[in-house]
Amino acid sequence: MGAFLPIPILAIVLGIVALARGTALPGRATVGIAFGATFLPVWCGFIAICIWSYNVNLL
């Protein structure tokens, strides 16, 4: 079940919230947004492969 945690989505959302509130370290928020946007397709692909492999093994 740990694969279904939306870590990249949380990184993007929390980075935007931090920038909107005016954090003392905006670089960390920007890096969080960048990493979240970078790894979101990887995360979605991993979930898709997990679902695909689960369905293939049932046949």
Side-chain angles (χ1 to χ4, degrees):
M1 276 299 180
F4 292 105
L5 290 174
I7 302 297
I9 296 171
L10 286 175
I12 294 169
V13 170
L14 292 176
I16 291 171
V17 168
L19 286 177
R21 288 188 175 185
T23 181
L25 299 170
R28 287 187 183 181
T30 306
V31 169
I33 294 169
F35 281 171
T38 302
F39 287 107
L40 186 61
V42 174
W43 178 73
C44 290
F46 177 72
I47 298 300
I49 289 172
C50 289
I51 292 171
W52 175 77
S53 66
Y54 179 74
N55 288 329
V56 167
N57 288 335
L58 286 179
L59 300 176

